[in-house]
Amino acid sequence: MRAVWRTAEYLIRTGWRFWLVGLCKVLALLQAAWVAFSQPVPASCGQLLTQLLLCGSLAVAGACLAHHWLVSSLFYPLGPSATIAMVCGLLVFLGLGLVRPARCLFALSVPTLGTEQGRRLLLSWSTATLAVTVVPNVLANMGAAGQVLRCVTEGSLESLLNTTHQLHTASRALSPTSPGGSQGLTFQVQGNGSIFRLHMLKVTQQVLEDFSGLEALAQLAALGTQRVATGLFLLGLLVDSAWYLHCYLTDLCFDNIYATRQLAHQLEEARATHLLASPPAWLLRATWPRLSQGELLSCLLRLGPLTLLLMATAVTVATDHVVFLLAQAAVDWAQKLPVVPITLTVKYDAAYTILGFVPFLFNQPPLENPFLSTHNSFQWELRFTSPSCPLLPAQRPHLAAPLAAGVLQLVACSTVLLETYARRLRHTIAASFFTAQEARRVHHLHARLQRRYDKHRGQQLPLGTSSFPQHLGLPANTQHR
């Protein structure tokens, strides 16, 4: 048994060791690829090949995503979408391969998706997806319910007019046929039934046309809004990344609040590590994964509107399902309405007697002489839906579009928590592309920390002169030198 456990333990350790070695190799490969991608001029043929391969892969991926987005989301034709995607891919490849700031800008746009600008893009995309799919579906189901109303109204009016006609025919059949007969049973309808029927059909048709026009208008408005909003937010994403890069290169104080390894190494060489002994509240560790209390509070406050948006999305999707169930129930009810057959039998017998009291005296029934005998049968059907009015089926709610919109909104909510890490990542990306500028920024941050330390030390000297030198391990009398 011990041998089995030892063998299993040996296999587990060997597998873990191989996994760690493979992970280290993958990380080293990724680091080498990133170094080649961020180099202004490739130092070797391998870096040049790696840089061209990365730029080509990014250009192909961008072109494929642009084509899919134009066709599936914005509903552009296939030909113009393919042309635009190819042109965009070519421009991306040339820009990434020849211009280093363009590569930096492209790399900065990825963590910028985790900031407020990227969150706006995700929210606009999810809202437009709901508007394009859910709103027309709700209007279509309302139109199906309106079609049920039209068919029931038309069928009921036809049945009413048919019943009126049959009763009028039956009343005419009851009229006496003798030349000297008197007035029989009459059935008269006030007004013109055909004009009333045409009026009701016109009203229901107008309602359905209004619903169809509203559905088409909603689709066009949602599609146009999605195209414009997506274009504006993509442009804003690139502008935000370009603004960050511009401020990083021109302003030494901009986003210079991170205690990086380069700063720690410079402080160690200058023997000024005591500047980080009690760091200021605004100084953040670039590699520290924990968020501060202020950052957590800011994240919670920004999650409030996003939660309301998620609730509104849930209400919209629930409304879509409820309207579908109501429309489906109305269509099923109209399809199951029975056809009622009606049979009207009119039997009219007339007879007369002469001296009928004479047989009565002898307790005999009187002799009747038949005068008129009429027997008619009328058959028709009551249909509550018109055969000439087709019922529209209820459209089932789309599951993929609301699910995609919900995922996008959840990703937008996650960017609230990841925004701090996205900003740190933007700083790291810019520093890897422009090492000389990062060195100047680190020197500026060093001088800023030194000024803060000197100012704090100057405030502490009048209060007591023994605590600070003792803290550094120096004699107390050295502070007066």
Side-chain angles (χ1 to χ4, degrees):
M1 193 65 182
R2 291 182 179 179
V4 175
W5 280 108
R6 290 177 180 176
T7 304
E9 184 179 1
Y10 174 76
L11 292 176
I12 292 173
R13 289 182 177 179
T14 304
W16 178 256
R17 190 180 299 110
F18 275 112
W19 187 83
L20 288 179
V21 171
L23 182 61
C24 292
K25 290 184 178 180
V26 170
L27 291 177
L29 182 62
L30 292 177
Q31 185 177 4
W34 176 254
V35 170
F37 186 75
S38 60
Q39 286 290 329
V41 178
S44 61
C45 294
Q47 285 191 355
L48 177 61
L49 182 61
T50 303
Q51 191 176 102
L52 292 178
L53 182 61
L54 288 175
C55 295
S57 301
L58 292 175
V60 171
C64 293
L65 289 176
H67 181 265
H68 176 74
W69 174 57
L70 291 173
V71 173
S72 62
S73 298
L74 302 184
F75 302 103
Y76 281 105
L78 290 176
S81 300
T83 304
I84 294 174
M86 291 177 61
V87 171
C88 290
L90 182 60
L91 292 178
V92 168
F93 177 74
L94 294 177
L96 294 180
L98 300 177
V99 184
R100 183 179 61 156
R103 293 198 298 272
C104 182
L105 186 64
F106 184 84
L108 285 176
S109 63
V110 177
T112 305
L113 286 172
T115 60
E116 185 177 0
Q117 189 66 32
R119 187 159 56 249
R120 291 176 181 175
L121 177 62
L122 294 175
L123 293 179
S124 65
W125 200 353
S126 65
T127 304
T129 303
L130 286 177
V132 169
T133 56
V134 176
V135 175
N137 195 68
V138 171
L139 294 177
N141 287 328
M142 293 177 66
Q147 183 72 9
V148 170
L149 177 62
R150 176 194 174 187
C151 293
V152 171
T153 303
E154 185 177 348
S156 301
L157 287 175
E158 289 178 355
S159 298
L160 179 61
L161 294 177
N162 191 21
T163 301
T164 303
H165 176 72
Q166 296 293 337
L167 291 176
H168 184 68
T169 304
S171 67
R172 293 178 59 185
L174 292 177
S175 299
T177 57
S178 62
S182 61
Q183 179 68 29
L185 178 64
T186 60
F187 188 86
Q188 186 176 3
V189 180
Q190 298 292 334
N192 195 334
S194 299
I195 296 178
F196 179 72
R197 175 176 178 271
L198 292 176
H199 177 70
M200 293 299 296
L201 292 180
K202 183 179 180 181
V203 170
T204 54
Q205 184 66 27
Q206 184 65 33
V207 172
L208 290 178
E209 289 179 358
D210 292 341
F211 270 111
S212 300
L214 185 61
E215 180 182 357
L217 181 62
Q219 287 181 348
L220 291 177
L223 185 59
T225 304
Q226 184 186 17
R227 291 175 177 177
V228 173
T230 305
L232 290 178
F233 282 116
L234 279 177
L235 181 62
L237 186 67
L238 295 177
V239 169
D240 192 13
S241 300
W243 174 80
Y244 181 88
L245 183 59
H246 171 73
C247 293
Y248 179 86
L249 295 176
T250 56
D251 189 1
L252 296 178
C253 297
F254 174 75
D255 200 24
N256 197 0
I257 56 173
Y258 300 103
T260 59
R261 295 179 179 178
Q262 188 174 357
L263 176 63
H265 182 67
Q266 184 173 342
L267 292 178
E268 185 177 357
E269 289 183 349
R271 296 182 180 181
T273 55
H274 56 276
L275 298 179
L276 296 179
S278 57
W282 48 264
L283 188 64
L284 301 177
R285 296 183 180 273
T287 58
W288 188 252
R290 185 177 301 176
L291 299 178
S292 63
Q293 294 183 356
E295 291 171 341
L296 287 176
L297 181 59
S298 177
C299 292
L300 293 177
L301 291 178
R302 281 176 293 181
L303 280 176
L306 296 178
T307 305
L308 294 178
L309 183 59
L310 282 174
M311 294 176 62
T313 301
V315 171
T316 304
V317 175
T319 302
D320 187 15
H321 283 78
V322 169
V323 173
F324 163 71
L325 293 176
L326 292 177
Q328 188 179 28
V331 172
D332 292 342
W333 171 77
Q335 289 176 348
K336 294 178 181 179
L337 285 176
V339 178
V340 182
I342 297 178
T343 302
L344 177 62
T345 302
V346 179
K347 186 176 182 182
Y348 179 77
D349 294 325
Y352 66 93
T353 59
I354 301 175
L355 300 176
F357 64 93
V358 176
F360 177 72
L361 294 176
F362 296 98
N363 199 16
Q364 296 292 330
L367 297 176
E368 295 181 351
N369 296 317
F371 174 73
L372 181 63
S373 179
T374 302
H375 183 271
N376 293 319
S377 180
F378 303 92
Q379 295 181 354
W380 70 93
E381 293 180 345
L382 285 179
R383 295 180 178 271
F384 296 98
T385 57
S386 176
S388 60
C389 180
L391 293 174
L392 299 178
Q395 297 185 7
R396 291 187 173 274
H398 299 278
L399 298 179
L403 183 61
V407 170
L408 289 176
Q409 292 182 5
L410 291 177
V411 172
C413 292
S414 65
T415 58
V416 174
L417 300 175
L418 299 177
E419 185 172 358
T420 302
Y421 302 106
R423 291 177 178 177
R424 296 178 185 179
L425 184 59
R426 286 200 303 182
H427 176 269
T428 304
I429 291 173
S432 62
F433 272 90
F434 302 96
T435 55
Q437 178 67 14
E438 180 63 19
R440 288 190 291 268
R441 291 168 61 87
V442 168
H443 181 72
H444 180 270
L445 182 58
H446 181 189
R448 184 181 177 185
L449 291 175
Q450 185 66 46
R451 288 193 301 269
R452 176 186 175 274
Y453 175 77
D454 294 339
K455 182 179 178 181
H456 180 72
R457 182 183 179 185
Q459 292 177 356
Q460 293 293 331
L461 283 177
L463 299 178
T465 58
S466 61
S467 59
F468 180 73
Q470 289 177 1
H471 176 71
L472 295 178
L474 299 175
N477 57 4
T478 58
Q479 59 179 337
H480 300 291
R481 297 179 182 178

